[in-house]
Amino acid sequence: MFEKTTWIKLPRNVLVGHDVLDDLGEAVGELYLTGRPLIVTSPTPNEIAGDRVRAQFDDPATAVVENASFAAVEDLKETAEAVDPGYLIALGGGKPIDIAKMAADHLDVGFVSVPTVASHDGIVSGRSSIPEGDTRHSVAADPPLAVVADTTLLANAPWRLTTAGCADIISNYTAVKDWRLARRLRNVEYSEYAGALSEMTAELLVENADMIRPGLEESAWVVVKALVSSGVAMSIAGSSRPASGAEHLISHQLDRIAPGKALHGHQVGVASIMTEFLHSGENGRWAAIRDALDELDAPTTASELGVDDAELIAALTSAHEIRDRYTILQGGINEEAAVEVATATGVIED
Ligand SMILES: NC(=O)C1=CN([C@@H]2O[C@H](COP(=O)(O)OP(=O)(O)OC[C@H]3O[C@@H](n4cnc5c(N)ncnc54)[C@H](OP(=O)(O)O)[C@@H]3O)[C@@H](O)[C@H]2O)C=CC1
Ligand SMILES: O=C(CO)COP(=O)(O)O
Ligand SMILES: [Zn+2]
């Protein structure tokens, strides 16, 4: 008997474009949600766009979160008990979006994502990643019911956050290589659709890196569409596999070893240069990945990340220990080999 089932959870409405923030009320109206919204935001996005969002709803409540933590999720759940919202609207970067995503899951209500920065694919995905102590807990949650990404706002957000979003997408290239390797060597479940979509999204960004420039709405549009595709690939796969391989393991280790030094997207980008080298050797596409990151003003070296050589090597050699996910780093890379790959790719100096 055929016993496979697939349940793909996707956003129903995705709006990307000039001043679409003013269409948020309409996009939410089409979802037939009931009750009042609780807007979950952080100080800067609240100042930039909070009033424009509140003006589109009857009796909205607002919760402003300062830090991403499990305590913030619990605080938000307490606020929600008093407000009794029908749904949440997450307005801001990864911090309020992930907190709202996790709280919405616990409260059993839907949420709408309104990103004000395009810093990583968590702004559209069904994964919530919350820092706790020296680690980050990545858990599955439902993806947003709708995404409303205003390119006017995003084009004016800090450029370094956009370059981090671009690098997070470029890293899908090696994530898919790891996933295929895991299928070949461990027979892990693999989705051709999700793999192809994720890989194509990364390829498109590598090829068009020179067209993505600060302050341009069209660039913000390209980046958000790529982040949406990456989120859809994860939804199709039912896991973060299409967008998270060994390069993400290295980044998660850097979060522990050198916390707060670099953005997630920048870390996975630099790590991706090295894991591509490990997959394909010196004639592989590691230089194309590096050049695309460089073109986008994203870091390509440990020092540009603000990380010591020793910290980078420690992250590389311990990355395989942190998650049960088969990648090119399975079994680990020793210190000598780690120094060699980091040096050969120019990530650390000779
Ligand atoms: N779910 C996932 O897959 C992933 C989740 N993450 C999580 O996401 C978070 C990091 O994401 P990130 O987006 O960098 O975090 P933030 O939400 O902290 O946003 C980054 C900074 O940008 C500011 N900001 C937001 N919008 C604007 C704007 N339009 N103009 C100017 N400044 C703005 C914020 O201000 P303010 O300080 O006032 O909020 C903040 O200082 C972490 O909590 C991390 O754990 C990271 C990677 C993947
Ligand atoms: O950052 C992600 C994808 O880009 C999420 O991946 P993780 O499952 O490794 O947290
Ligand atoms: Zn990522």
Side-chain angles (χ1 to χ4, degrees):
M1 194 175 72
F2 184 73
E3 285 187 347
K4 263 190 172 177
T5 55
T6 303
W7 187 346
I8 300 174
K9 294 190 174 183
L10 294 164
R12 171 165 171 169
N13 280 335
V14 177
L15 269 78
V16 184
H18 183 75
D19 281 347
V20 295
L21 187 65
D22 298 324
D23 300 325
L24 173 65
E26 193 185 337
V28 171
E30 284 193 0
L31 301 172
Y32 305 110
L33 296 167
T34 53
R36 63 195 293 223
L38 172 57
I39 299 161
V40 183
T41 186
S42 62
T44 310
N46 190 36
E47 203 181 308
I48 293 173
D51 287 343
R52 266 172 83 192
V53 169
R54 280 182 283 275
Q56 298 177 58
F57 297 92
D58 286 336
D59 196 23
T62 302
V64 179
V65 298
E66 303 271 346
N67 302 302
S69 64
F70 285 102
V73 176
E74 291 307 315
D75 287 350
L76 181 59
K77 282 160 64 182
E78 255 178 48
T79 305
E81 251 171 54
V83 169
D84 192 21
Y87 57 99
L88 309 183
I89 296 176
L91 171 71
K95 185 173 52 186
I97 290 176
D98 270 10
I99 288 172
K101 196 187 287 179
M102 192 176 275
D105 219 54
H106 293 183
L107 295 163
D108 214 12
V109 296
F111 88 102
V112 173
S113 175
V114 187
T116 59
V117 291
S119 51
H120 51 72
D121 53 21
I123 61 173
V124 290
S125 77
R127 289 207 78 78
S128 194
S129 181
I130 310 273
E132 186 76 350
D134 64 353
T135 183
R136 277 208 304 140
H137 291 270
S138 176
V139 289
D142 281 352
L145 298 170
V147 180
V148 176
D150 188 321
T151 49
T152 326
L153 270 179
L154 295 166
N156 288 315
W159 174 235
R160 59 187 275 278
L161 291 167
T162 311
T163 68
C166 293
D168 200 21
I169 297 157
I170 288 173
S171 81
N172 289 10
Y173 184 70
T174 49
V176 174
K177 284 198 169 188
D178 280 316
W179 195 13
R180 292 205 180 111
L181 185 72
R183 174 186 53 169
R184 287 198 296 274
L185 298 182
R186 286 294 182 278
N187 201 29
V188 306
E189 195 166 344
Y190 177 80
S191 157
E192 293 286 355
Y193 295 107
L197 176 61
S198 179
E199 187 179 51
M200 182 192 70
T201 306
E203 291 277 6
L204 279 175
L205 219 79
V206 169
E207 279 163 24
N208 295 306
D210 59 335
M211 289 164 61
I212 298 171
R213 302 272 43 111
L216 292 184
E217 269 199 77
E218 196 174 349
S219 298
W221 189 80
V222 170
V223 177
V224 173
K225 294 279 289 271
L227 293 170
V228 170
S229 297
S230 192
V232 168
M234 286 190 265
S235 287
I236 294 173
S239 88
S240 62
R241 261 291 191 183
S244 172
E247 73 299 316
H248 272 65
L249 298 180
I250 296 167
S251 168
H252 296 333
Q253 272 306 69
L254 277 175
D255 286 338
R256 290 181 174 151
I257 294 165
K261 292 206 175 161
L263 294 169
H264 167 81
H266 290 163
Q267 291 178 172
V268 298
V270 171
S272 197
I273 302 172
M274 295 185 289
T275 59
E276 167 58 11
F277 188 96
L278 291 173
H279 271 286
S280 309
E282 58 183 316
N283 297 321
R285 294 197 62 204
W286 66 271
I289 293 174
R290 179 202 56 196
D291 293 349
L293 293 170
D294 192 43
E295 185 81 60
L296 288 160
D297 305 328
T300 59
T301 65
S303 73
E304 284 171 4
L305 285 176
V307 164
D308 296 342
D309 291 0
E311 290 169 333
L312 183 98
I313 298 302
L316 254 172
T317 51
S318 59
H320 64 290
E321 293 164 3
I322 60 167
R323 190 182 210 174
D324 182 20
R325 177 164 286 193
Y326 192 93
T327 71
I328 191 73
L329 289 176
Q330 188 73 17
I333 177 169
N334 72 17
E335 194 175 321
E336 235 182 346
V339 170
E340 186 152 337
V341 64
T343 312
T345 52
V347 169
I348 64 174
E349 274 179 32
D350 217 342

